[in-house]
């Protein structure tokens, strides 16, 4: 089977499908028409289809022989961004845009479904096509897992477009790829009063300022310098008027890191720093910490297998490498449960305007990457099932 040639032969269809999705983007967990379209496409290929969590779609393709089960995942949602690409197939849904390339992911996975359905008899196992809603809010993967999407699945492969890599290349690297992303709030309680008499009250704004500075010492003084972590306060609210001593302050922040052991300790560190800093100033501070997405960690063996799939398809020069990022991705929830690997599909080409970062109002892709993405999904599935069966 020549998956590269099969992908090339459906390239015009892939372009049409991607433009359809691009023109009709839908927000997280509202991907109703997108899901319907995916269902129709899969049914045309004779693939068994199940709907999950309202707008999720899972297709199952059984090969002739029994064998392992591999899942291929694409996220399908768009962003609340007003598109400024000026493309002929720009979004018709005002204020909503596929600015993170999930239109491309969905298209590539449909392409893989088409390729694999054509060689169904040669597949030594089962392929599950997971079309996941709600990635931008980091909720879709969790919901699909709760509905049993990983039951009986031996490994999962996912992919994201990458504006920093030229179209025609793919990278997949072992180990941590994206950071965990948690959210926290801090409530500071002081004592109000007149701005002219700070000694009669407890200025919560000054406490908040000290907390904000002291929090930075967790990363710089408590965590191994060879590890990575970020603690950022993105919101600080305090006070009402120029001559009123603020009685309260409120902060919101985020924590990012790769190492789960470090992540686990961060809430305790934050609590200690904020409570004791507040006590220094006769105030109190309370932390509410919410664990969000774990870090995305690529399984070593599975990643090596994926690297070989890419080289088999397009040669050594197509396989690139990419440093880890502090951004996050809810694919991490799958990777927490079963062996997983996450690749990046190069889509950059300034000649076609594909030179803006993901989430930019002018974001677009070099569509020649669609066949590469479809082939990569399909080849990985075949290679994994062949090796494990
Ligand atoms: Ni994305």
């Amino acid at each position: 089977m020549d998956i590269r040639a099969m992908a090339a032969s459906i390239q015009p269809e892939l372009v049409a499908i991607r433009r359809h999705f691009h023109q009709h983007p839908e927000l997280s967990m509202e991907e109703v028409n997108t899901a319907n379209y995916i269902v129709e496409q899969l049914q045309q290929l004779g693939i068994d289809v199940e709907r999950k969590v309202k707008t999720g779609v899972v297709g199952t393709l059984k090969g002739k022989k029994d064998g392992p089960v591999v899942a291929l995942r694409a996220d399908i949602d768009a962003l609340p961004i007003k598109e400024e690409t000026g493309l002929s197939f720009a979004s018709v849904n005002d204020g909503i845009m596929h600015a993170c390339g999930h239109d491309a992911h969905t298209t590539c996975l449909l392409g893989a479904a088409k390729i694999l359905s054509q060689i169904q008899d040669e597949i030594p196992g089962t392929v599950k096509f997971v079309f996941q809603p709600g990635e931008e809010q980091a909720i879709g993967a969790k919901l699909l897992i709760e509905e049993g999407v990983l039951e009986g699945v031996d490994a999962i492969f996912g992919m994201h477009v990458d504006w920093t890599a030229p179209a025609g290349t793919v990278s997949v690297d072992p180990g941590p790829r994206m950071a965990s992303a948690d959210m926290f709030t801090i409530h500071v309680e002081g004592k109000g009063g007149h701005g002219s008499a700070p000694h009669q009250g407890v200025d919560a704004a000054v406490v908040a300022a000290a907390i904000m500075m002291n929090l930075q010492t967790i990363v710089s003084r408590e965590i191994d310098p060879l590890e990575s972590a970020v603690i950022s306060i993105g919101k600080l609210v305090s006070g009402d008027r120029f001559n009123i001593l603020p009685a309260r302050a409120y902060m919101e922040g985020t924590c990012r890191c790769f190492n789960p052991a470090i992540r686990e300790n961060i809430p305790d560190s934050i609590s200690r720093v904020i409570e004791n800093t507040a006590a220094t100033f006769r105030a109190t501070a309370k932390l509410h910490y919410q664990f969000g997405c774990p870090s995305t960690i690529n399984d070593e063996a599975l990643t090596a297998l994926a690297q070989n799939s890419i080289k088999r398809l397009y040669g050594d020069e197509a396989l690139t490498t990419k440093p880890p990022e502090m951004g996050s991705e809810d694919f991490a929830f799958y990777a927490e449960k079963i062996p997983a690997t996450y690749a990046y599909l190069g889509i950059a080409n300034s000649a076609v305007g594909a030179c803006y970062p993901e989430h930019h109002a002018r974001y677009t892709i070099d569509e020649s990457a669609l066949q590469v993405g479809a082939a990569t999904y399909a080849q990985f599935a075949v290679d994994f099932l062949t090796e494990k069966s």
Side-chain angles (χ1 to χ4, degrees), residues 75 77 79 100-102 105 135-136 160-161 329 342 358-359:
D75 43 12
D77 53 336
L79 287 160
C100 197
H102 299 189
H105 306 163
E135 191 282 326
E136 296 292 355
H160 204 290
V161 289
E329 158 64 66
Y342 196 70
E358 281 86 30
H359 294 210

Side-chain angles (χ1 to χ4, degrees), residues 188-191 202-204 207 274-275 277-285:
V188 177
E189 196 72 40
K191 194 178 153 201
V202 174
D203 186 345
V207 178
I274 69 166
E275 284 167 18
T277 301
T280 305
F281 298 99
R282 299 169 292 141
T284 59

Side-chain angles (χ1 to χ4, degrees), residues 165-185:
T169 65
V170 187
S171 72
V172 57
D173 297 278
R177 304 308 301 144
M178 269 174 290
S180 53
D182 300 333
M183 192 265 198
F184 63 86
T185 62

Side-chain angles (χ1 to χ4, degrees), residues 73 132 141 145 150 155-158 175-178 260 294-299 302 329-342:
R73 176 272 206 171
Q132 183 209 301
I145 293 168
L150 293 183
I156 186 164
F157 175 82
R177 304 308 301 144
M178 269 174 290
S295 54
T296 305
I297 300 172
N298 276 358
D299 180 83
L302 210 57
E329 158 64 66
D330 79 352
F331 184 79
F333 286 107
Y334 306 114
E336 247 187 354
K337 305 268 183 210
I338 62 171
T341 195
Y342 196 70

